[in-house]
């Protein structure tokens, strides 16, 4: 082969490789956008925190003194969702569409595949308007995990197995407290109902992700037990009390319809609230 023939052949091979790499990754365009956005953020971090105080009454220092002792802020909560979409592919599309304005750190498909879509240290747009205890900006301190599920079906075994592996890694990496593994419905009562009633919260709790109540057979409720106060202690936003009860019942009593607490619910609630105190 002469030199020209070699060059033509080389160009042809490169073209095939480029076309193939595009065909293999339909998200190459949005991945470039991801890289661009992380570049902008890293630039923001590198900026000196120069004083912006505009007041003659405050002494301005003559030079910047940067501390030598710091690291990145880390997530302290995990929020679990169901996607309410019909496939993993549909969710990946949604989370890479600028128009949707929603995202999550992880998407777990029905076959157990875990898509890690955003660095854990960055802020995903998953919690929306939400509140847990006194925490109002949940996105800033949490990891969002979406499970592929249309909202009305059980979760698959490979999906839950992958979730448990992921939760274990997150809990260890960031020292996330056991009580801080919660659902979207918990932090947004009346607005969100995910993950759905099939979600195995009790199984998660037995493995150290979220709290669960003990056997309530021998529990005698104190006369002054206040169930609304107990819900508040756990973390529920009590602005709309019946919505908070509904979220509690979805999580702990596997009940999607009731907005009223039964005597059995009260016993579970009493036991739980003691664990949260
Ligand atoms: Zn959600």
């Amino acid at each position: 082969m002469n030199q020209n023939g070699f060059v033509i052949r080389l160009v042809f091979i490169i073209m095939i490789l480029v076309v193939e790499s595009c065909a293999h990754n339909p998200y190459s365009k949005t991945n470039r956008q991801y890289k661009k956005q992380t570049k902008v953020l890293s630039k923001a971090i590198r900026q000196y925190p120069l004083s912006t105080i505009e007041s003659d009454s405050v002494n301005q220092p003559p030079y910047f003194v940067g501390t030598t002792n710091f690291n990145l802020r880390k997530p302290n909560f995990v929020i679990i969702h169901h996607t309410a979409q019909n496939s993993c592919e549909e969710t990946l599309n949604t989370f890479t569409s600028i128009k949707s304005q929603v995202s999550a750190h992880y998407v777990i498909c029905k076959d157990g595949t875990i898509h890690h879509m955003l660095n854990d240290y960055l802020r995903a747009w998953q919690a929306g308007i939400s509140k847990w205890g006194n925490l109002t900006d949940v996105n800033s301190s949490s990891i969002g995990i979406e499970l592929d599920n249309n909202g009305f079906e059980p979760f698959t075994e490979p999906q839950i197995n992958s979730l448990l592996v992921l939760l274990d890694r997150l809990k260890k990496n960031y020292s996330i407290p056991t009580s801080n593994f919660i659902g979207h419905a918990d932090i947004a009562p009346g607005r969100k109902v995910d993950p759905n009633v099939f979600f195995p919260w009790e199984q998660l709790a037995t493995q150290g992700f979220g709290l669960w109540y003990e056997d309530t057979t021998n529990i005698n409720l104190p006369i002054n037990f206040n169930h609304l106060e107990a819900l508040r202690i756990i973390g529920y936003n009590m602005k709309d009390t019946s919505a908070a009860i509904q979220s509690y019942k979805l999580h702990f009593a596997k009940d999607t319809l009731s907005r009223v607490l039964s005597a059995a619910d009260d016993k579970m609630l009493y036991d739980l609230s003691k664990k949260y105190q």
Side-chain angles (χ1 to χ4, degrees), residues 59-90:
N59 279 346
Q60 298 287 338
Y63 44 77
F64 169 64
V65 184
T67 178
T68 52
N69 313 318
F70 59 93
N71 57 8
L72 287 170
R73 295 179 190 197
K74 58 186 177 62
N76 198 39
F77 284 83
V78 169
I79 309 299
I80 295 168
H81 307 252
H82 67 224
T83 58
Q85 298 206 307
N86 293 312
S87 70
C88 218
E89 204 52 48
E90 191 183 341

Side-chain angles (χ1 to χ4, degrees), residues 79-83 126-127 145-146 183-185 192-195:
I79 309 299
I80 295 168
H81 307 252
H82 67 224
T83 58
Q126 39 103 16
I145 302 176
E146 291 271 1
H184 201 187
K192 291 291 170 183
V193 291
D194 62 312

Side-chain angles (χ1 to χ4, degrees), residues 218-243:
N218 296 320
I219 284 182
N220 288 315
L221 282 180
I223 297 168
N224 61 352
F225 176 67
N226 179 334
H227 55 221
L228 297 184
E229 178 64 9
L231 285 170
R232 193 191 59 74
I233 289 167
I234 291 174
Y236 287 100
N237 180 0
M238 299 310 291
K239 200 172 168 192
D240 177 347
T241 51
S242 58

